[in-house]
Amino acid sequence: QLVESGGGSVQAGGSLRLSCDASRYTFSAYCMGWSRQTPGKEREGVAAIDSDDSADYSDSVKGRFTVSKDMTKNTIHLQMNDLKPDDTGMYYCAATSDCLALMTNPGYLEALGIGYWGQGTQVTVS
């Protein structure tokens, strides 16, 4: 139900734009967001945008990443600028009723099967 795209390899300081295609129902009814995971580390909430279009960001990406909705295409985007090697990881799109949980404990949500999750797209910054 959620399909990510736009990952790739980029040098530090570069930019990437991730996209997540969602069904009409998921898009309008849920908090949508992005989390990322690096081997050996817990999944980290990166950015989320609620049904009222309010957005939240982790401190590590604030000022560099922007999450947005394209209502005409039922798609959310994550514009990532000034990328750093620490931004490397698998990025997952998610839809859930709880924006706070998506940002603070995304691994817990997915482990319990709460919400909807994409398969992930790899971002590598060197």
Side-chain angles (χ1 to χ4, degrees):
Q1 195 167 359
L2 300 177
V3 180
E4 304 98 334
S5 61
S9 297
V10 65
Q11 291 187 339
S15 298
L16 284 173
R17 188 190 196 208
L18 305 184
S19 298
C20 174
D21 293 330
S23 70
R24 183 182 304 273
Y25 174 77
T26 304
F27 188 87
S28 62
Y30 285 84
C31 170
M32 304 288 297
W34 297 89
S35 61
R36 66 187 180 191
Q37 189 157 23
T38 304
K41 295 185 179 180
E42 290 187 0
R43 189 167 298 194
E44 173 191 17
V46 174
I49 184 164
D50 213 336
S51 55
D52 64 358
D53 290 344
S54 59
D56 192 17
Y57 300 92
S58 67
D59 288 342
S60 62
V61 307
K62 199 169 294 183
R64 300 187 296 121
F65 290 13
T66 303
V67 62
S68 62
K69 290 180 183 177
D70 184 339
M71 300 290 288
T72 64
K73 298 181 180 179
N74 295 328
T75 300
I76 67 166
H77 301 288
L78 185 67
Q79 179 66 42
M80 306 185 295
N81 298 328
D82 190 22
L83 283 161
K84 306 177 187 300
D86 283 348
D87 296 318
T88 294
M90 186 70 78
Y91 282 69
Y92 297 90
C93 178
T96 177
S97 60
D98 191 339
C99 258
L100 179 61
L102 181 56
M103 289 297 297
T104 59
N105 209 339
Y108 176 79
L109 291 180
E110 191 185 29
L112 293 184
I114 297 172
Y116 300 94
W117 294 84
Q119 294 300 306
T121 185
Q122 178 68 36
V123 171
T124 303
V125 185
S126 59

